[in-house]
Amino acid sequence: MRKSLAVFSAALILGAAVGSIPAGAAGASPPSCPRGLLFCEDFERLPPGGPSTLKWGVDTRHGTLTVERARRGNQVLHIHTVDNGRAFLRVDDFAAPGNRFYGRMRLRVDAFPTAPDWAHFTLVEATGTGSAEVVRPVGGQYAPTVPGTFWGVGADGGPTGDWTNWRESAPVAEDTWQCFEWKIDAADNRVAVWIDGVANPELTASTSDHGGNDVPFVLPTVDTVKIGWQLYQGGTTPDEFDLWIDDIALSSKRLGC
């Protein structure tokens, strides 16, 4: 009986400690990283606190990455940045057969920028050799002309220039867990995106159909994938950003949500 009371008391203390962490992370199914994936991280084997792993690196500026326990008991990665800071989980030495791969993550963003005008942010970035394009399959922008904040495929650093092809058909959702998937395929230099398992045909790019300069869009041979948050303009509203990510996977096949 004393042992049961002790366990119950410990559970109450733990619940109070994580009360500020969002519920609903990653759904109810047990997290897993099956064999055969190109990369997988569900954060379950990591100690709480600053990341301590040899599987992936960290890229931060005015930002932090913290492994936290969510209310349902699973662990998630909490990303915090100030103003136009950045904080990324970085997968180096990445290689996908045929330079074709799918990505998946579960995501909750506390709040998106509403200032300055055209505030531009990135959550997934892929770089490599053979092309200077910095490919951004998951990102977005605040559009004051609508107004609203929308998801969009983008790129920077290469011949196509700095662009985010945001779409009104893909408005962001704050304070809500969603599942994002993306595909990068060198066959037609194609990028595609699914949100909660549903493809959005407007969230795509290819060799001749993209949002940049009137030149071919050519994917690099991807060797680095970064997942997290970066905002490129200063003087933001809000002045800090918090998001939570779980169940990251990179695979030769689409995994689904």
Side-chain angles (χ1 to χ4, degrees), residues 76-220:
V76 297
L77 184 67
H78 178 193
I79 297 167
H80 176 78
T81 63
V82 177
D83 199 44
N84 61 336
R86 70 174 183 267
F88 284 109
L89 174 159
R90 179 177 174 127
V91 182
D92 291 305
D93 301 321
F94 177 76
N99 200 29
R100 176 181 183 271
F101 68 96
Y102 293 82
R104 184 202 65 202
M105 65 178 175
R106 305 189 197 280
L107 169 72
R108 173 188 178 269
V109 181
D110 185 52
F112 289 89
T114 56
D117 289 351
W118 308 109
H120 169 208
F121 52 90
T122 295
L123 286 87
V124 178
E125 184 174 278
T127 54
T129 61
S131 172
E133 299 283 4
V134 178
V135 183
R136 296 165 175 164
V138 183
Q141 195 161 28
Y142 170 65
T145 52
V146 177
T149 307
F150 306 95
W151 297 109
V153 173
D156 193 11
T160 59
D162 182 3
W163 52 276
T164 301
N165 198 12
W166 55 269
R167 295 294 186 169
E168 290 186 51
S169 62
V172 300
E174 296 183 345
D175 196 24
T176 301
W177 279 98
Q178 294 181 291
C179 178
F180 278 76
E181 300 172 87
W182 63 93
K183 174 185 178 183
I184 291 179
D185 189 350
D188 187 24
N189 299 295
R190 182 166 296 278
V191 180
V193 176
W194 296 256
I195 302 176
D196 290 333
V198 179
N200 184 325
E202 291 194 313
L203 295 180
T204 58
S206 63
T207 307
S208 57
D209 185 9
H210 53 81
N213 300 325
D214 190 16
V215 295
F217 176 54
V218 179
L219 294 173

